[in-house]
Amino acid sequence: MIVAANWKMNLNLSDGAELVNDLFKGMPQLSDEKQVVIATPFLHLTQTAGQLAGMDHVHLGAQNCHHEAAGAYTGEVSASMLKSAEVKYVIVGHSERRQYNGEDDAMLAKKVNQALANDMQVIFCCGEPLEIRDANTENSYVEAQLKNGLFHLGADHLKNVVIAYEPIWAIGTGRTASSQQAQDMHAHIRTVLATEYGSAVAADMTILYGGSCKPSNAAELFACPDVDGGLIGGASLKADEFLGIINAMVNA
Ligand code: PGA
C-alpha cells in the first residue's frame, strides 16, 4: 500500500521543511508493503530530497513532468531533471492539469513514457466529473482514460505505474466517495487491467483512492479489498492529519 501526499501549489520552502520535519517526528514504522510518497512543488524537490535521504520507505514525488525529453520549452521541467533531483514518483494526469493546463490523453501517454524512460514510477490519475457520475457512465469514462494513457505500455512497464482513482466531484470538496463507490470503481479498474494484461498483472497493481480522504474516513476506505492506499491533497498539508492517514494505512 502507498499513501501519497500531493501538496499542489501550497507551502513556501520553510513551511515545507517544517512539515517534513514534523512528519518524521511522528512517522510510524513503514515497510516494503506500507510506503509513503511526498509529491512537492518543483521548487521544493532538492530541499525535500535532502530531508528524505536515509529515510526508509518515504519517497520523493513530483506533480508533473514535461512530455518531451529536452529543448526549447521555457519554464518546463523534464523527467530526466526530476530523476537527477532524486525523484522516485511522478504524478501524471491529475484532473487539475487535465482541466487547467489542457493536458489530453495523447500528451499524458508521452509524459508516462518520459517518466518510465527515466526509471521513475508513475502515479497515473483518472476519475470522472460529476455530470458523468450523474449519467452513470463513469465506468466507461475511466476505462477510456486508462486505455488512452496507459495501454500502449507492455506489462513490464505497467508494473512501474500506480493508478490513482480520483472522482473530480470529491477533490477538495469535502465530499468523499463512499467506500462502496470507491470499491466498485477500483474493482472495475482492476477488471479492465485484467482484460488487457491478465489477472496476475492486475492483482499486483496498486490502485489509490483520492478525493477528500481524511483521517476520519481513511480506515474505512483502506479496508476495501481493491483500495491500496490514497493520494492526499488538503489533508497532506498538516502533519497530524497526514500522519493520521499514514497510520490508517499501517493498521489496514
Ligand atoms: P484532496 O485532493 O485530498 O484535497 O481532495 C486530492 C488530490 O487532488 O490529489
Side-chain angles (χ1 to χ4, degrees), residues 3 213-215 218 222 232 235 240-249:
V3 163
C213 186
K214 306 181 272 285
F222 297 169
I232 319 299
D240 56 341
E241 289 191 24
F242 192 50
L243 286 168
I245 296 171
I246 293 169
N247 279 315
M249 167 181 73

Side-chain angles (χ1 to χ4, degrees), residues 133-154:
R133 166 79 43 180
D134 286 344
N136 295 317
T137 53
E138 66 272 15
N139 281 1
S140 56
Y141 186 94
V142 168
E143 187 170 341
Q145 289 179 317
L146 297 174
K147 283 191 168 150
N148 297 336
L150 293 179
F151 283 9
H152 62 286
L153 299 174

Side-chain angles (χ1 to χ4, degrees), residues 15-48:
D15 293 336
E18 192 182 324
L19 174 55
V20 173
N21 272 336
D22 289 346
L23 289 174
F24 281 1
K25 285 183 203 146
M27 192 66 75
Q29 183 70 43
L30 301 170
S31 65
D32 287 347
E33 285 73 43
K34 305 280 170 83
Q35 310 216 33
V36 170
V37 174
I38 301 179
T40 75
F42 291 143
L43 181 68
H44 289 249
L45 288 171
T46 51
Q47 170 178 277
T48 311

Side-chain angles (χ1 to χ4, degrees), residues 4-8 91 94-96 125 164 166-175 209-214 230-237 245:
N6 175 11
W7 289 359
K8 306 192 182 185
I91 299 173
H94 193 283
S95 61
E96 289 152 14
C125 301
E166 299 205 307
I168 296 171
W169 45 272
I171 296 177
T173 59
R175 182 179 163 189
Y209 168 79
S212 299
C213 186
K214 306 181 272 285
L231 179 57
I232 319 299
S236 74
L237 299 173
I245 296 171

Side-chain angles (χ1 to χ4, degrees), residues 63-64 93-103 111:
Q63 298 172 20
N64 180 37
H94 193 283
S95 61
E96 289 152 14
R97 294 206 59 88
R98 292 179 191 256
Q99 185 178 350
Y100 306 135
N101 299 78
E103 297 187 356
K111 289 180 187 242

